[in-house]
Each structure stands twice: as structure tokens, then as C-alpha cells.
Amino acid sequence: SAIPMSGIVEHYDRRRAVRDLKDGDVVIFCAGTGNPFFTTDSAACLRGIEIEADAVLKATKVDGVYSADPYKDPTAEKYDRLTYDEVLDKKLGVMDLTAICLARDHGMPLRVFDMNRSGALTRIVTGEIQTNRKE
């Protein structure tokens, strides 16, 4: 955790996280960065960059990145693949702009998927399904 919660969870330490991952353990990051003005999207990208992850996975209520919220706008267009700059230029609201810039500047691939779809995470990790990609 980025915020100390003694007795509940260990405080975040990048070296420990990397060591645990190399040992085959699962590491779950929580509590964002512990700093104001930074979203959990930015925290996810920051932590992904710090541990040299293969990608950052973004779970959402929809099955990818759209031109608008498809629940509110039935004409919303789904994008199959986007560059970071396209996300920034189109001001797509899938992640905050700081997170997109962090990922772009460090070459961190982002994958967006529907968190409510059964087995979606497993299929992404195993490469069975493709997701909206931002590279």
C-alpha cells in the first residue's frame, strides 16, 4: 500500500515488489500513490513502470475504448487500436491524461477490458483475446 496500514498490508517498496514478483509471488498494489492530485490510473502506470511490467491492464465497465460513453451515447465509436497521442488528441476519457502521458513517455503498453466479462482477465493474460491497445 502507498499509505501505511500497519497490520493490514505492507507499505509499498519497489525493491520488495520486484523481488516478490521474481520469486513468483503475486503483488497487488493498492491506495494509489498516496499523494493528492494523482488518480489510481496514474498510480497503476507509475507502478507498472517502476516494476518494469509487460503492460498495464485497465478494467472498465465497457469492452474497450470508445469515442464517448456508450451507455450515454449510442453513436459512440469503439476503437480497436490507438496510439497514446490519439488518446490525448481526441481527449478520450478512458484514463486520465497524466496516466496516458506516463505510459507514452515510458513505452508502457496499456490494455483496456471489460471487468464484468467472466474470464476476461485470464484471456488477456494468456493472449487468447485481444483488447483495445494503446501504444
Side-chain angles (χ1 to χ4, degrees):
S1 171
I3 299 172
M5 292 184 251
S6 184
I8 298 172
V9 66
E10 293 181 28
H11 190 66
Y12 173 71
D13 178 292
R14 184 193 63 80
R15 290 172 296 187
R16 172 82 189 265
V18 169
R19 184 174 65 243
D20 289 346
L21 288 167
K22 286 183 180 178
D23 289 344
D25 295 330
V26 173
V27 177
I28 298 172
F29 302 99
C30 62
T33 65
N35 297 300
F37 310 114
F38 289 90
T39 67
T40 53
D41 288 341
S42 292
C45 290
L46 176 63
R47 298 299 184 232
I49 292 162
E50 288 177 337
I51 66 166
E52 299 180 6
D54 294 331
V56 170
L57 307 179
K58 166 74 175 187
T60 68
K61 296 182 283 185
V62 296
D63 65 343
V65 180
Y66 287 81
S67 57
D69 184 340
Y71 289 116
K72 297 177 183 175
D73 182 353
T75 65
E77 175 187 347
K78 183 179 177 186
Y79 298 102
D80 291 324
R81 189 178 189 102
L82 292 160
T83 66
Y84 302 111
D85 290 332
E86 287 172 324
V87 173
L88 295 170
D89 291 344
K90 296 174 191 269
K91 295 183 173 80
L92 300 175
V94 65
M95 294 178 94
D96 71 86
L97 301 183
T98 300
I100 298 296
C101 288
L102 268 172
R104 179 194 62 192
D105 293 350
H106 293 275
M108 176 59 65
L110 302 172
R111 304 291 180 265
V112 179
F113 68 98
D114 182 350
M115 67 183 166
N116 295 312
R117 187 170 176 195
S118 180
L121 181 58
T122 300
R123 289 192 301 275
I124 290 167
V125 172
T126 61
E128 182 181 330
I129 63 169
Q130 293 296 314
T131 60
N132 287 99
R133 302 170 70 130
K134 290 192 280 290
E135 297 177 340

